[in-house]
Amino acid sequence: MTGVQTCALPISLFLVSGVVRGNAGDSSRGDRPVARTVGSMAPDFTLSDTDGNLINLSDYRGKWVILNFWATWCPPCLAEIPTLIKFYDKADKDNVVLLGINATGTEKSAGGRDVRSYVSTFVNEKGINFPVLLDIRGNVSTNYGAGNLPTTVVISPEGIITKIKTGVVDSFWLRSAVDGD
């Protein structure tokens, strides 16, 4: 996989520790984390957003859902933010939702500050216009096999994973993911 930029070691270590600790405050269905593959059913989950609202993946059944796993300390994640913002600006919000899944437990940049507040401030400063959910313990990242960041997972309106990409996405990839190409 040459040419693909990802942030692997910190999130991989975090995910391994998250599997052992569990994920208090985050809810993902099932007892064992399973890395999902294209063609498999997307596991449901409940996470809070940066405002503290609980969001369920199943609330978006009937729409294309793009999950983008990222962190503030990950340079490739930061590089793709403008593309994600532009995509979401133009997206048909009746049929497509983009959810940023922040690997919150890996956010060492918070420097002792409340991590929810830290990520919320980051989201506002960067002008991120799509919902950002906080994966505090890493269970959702683990269940989706997002061991490297960024990782983007596309889920069909029927709840089936149709595409997975590790590394930076571009606008063509995003458009083709929800156009069925």
Side-chain angles (χ1 to χ4, degrees):
M1 260 177 119
T2 57
V4 174
Q5 293 181 331
T6 63
C7 298
L9 183 58
I11 190 73
S12 298
L13 293 173
F14 168 73
L15 291 176
V16 169
S17 67
V19 170
V20 174
R21 281 197 315 257
N23 204 7
D26 299 343
S27 172
S28 55
R29 312 296 190 261
D31 294 332
R32 275 183 268 143
V34 178
R36 300 299 172 175
T37 59
V38 170
S40 67
M41 192 69 162
D44 198 11
F45 60 82
T46 300
L47 292 173
S48 63
D49 66 13
T50 54
D51 294 322
N53 302 307
L54 292 178
I55 307 296
N56 301 302
L57 177 64
S58 57
D59 292 344
Y60 299 106
R61 184 60 65 92
K63 294 184 178 191
W64 285 97
V65 178
I66 300 172
L67 303 178
N68 180 260
F69 294 87
W70 67 284
T72 64
W73 50 262
C74 168
C77 300
L78 302 180
E80 76 178 355
I81 288 174
T83 300
L84 295 170
I85 290 171
K86 287 178 189 169
F87 171 79
Y88 198 62
D89 273 343
K90 296 176 183 176
D92 174 3
K93 311 251 186 337
D94 290 332
N95 295 310
V96 178
V97 66
L98 171 60
L99 299 174
I101 310 292
N102 177 263
T104 313
T106 69
E107 293 292 357
K108 305 303 181 209
S109 302
R113 292 180 286 163
D114 172 60
V115 73
R116 179 184 308 279
S117 174
Y118 173 76
V119 173
S120 181
T121 299
F122 180 90
V123 165
N124 291 332
E125 288 174 354
K126 296 293 182 186
I128 295 175
N129 58 348
F130 48 88
V132 173
L133 311 181
L134 307 176
D135 191 10
I136 295 168
R137 302 279 186 194
N139 281 359
V140 175
S141 298
T142 299
N143 285 344
Y144 279 88
N148 295 326
L149 298 178
T151 293
T152 304
V153 177
V154 179
I155 303 167
S156 75
E158 297 78 28
I160 305 297
I161 296 172
T162 60
K163 286 191 173 195
I164 301 172
K165 179 173 172 77
T166 300
V168 176
V169 295
D170 60 29
S171 57
F172 175 78
W173 190 90
L174 288 165
R175 282 191 314 274
S176 69
V178 296
D179 289 339
D181 296 338

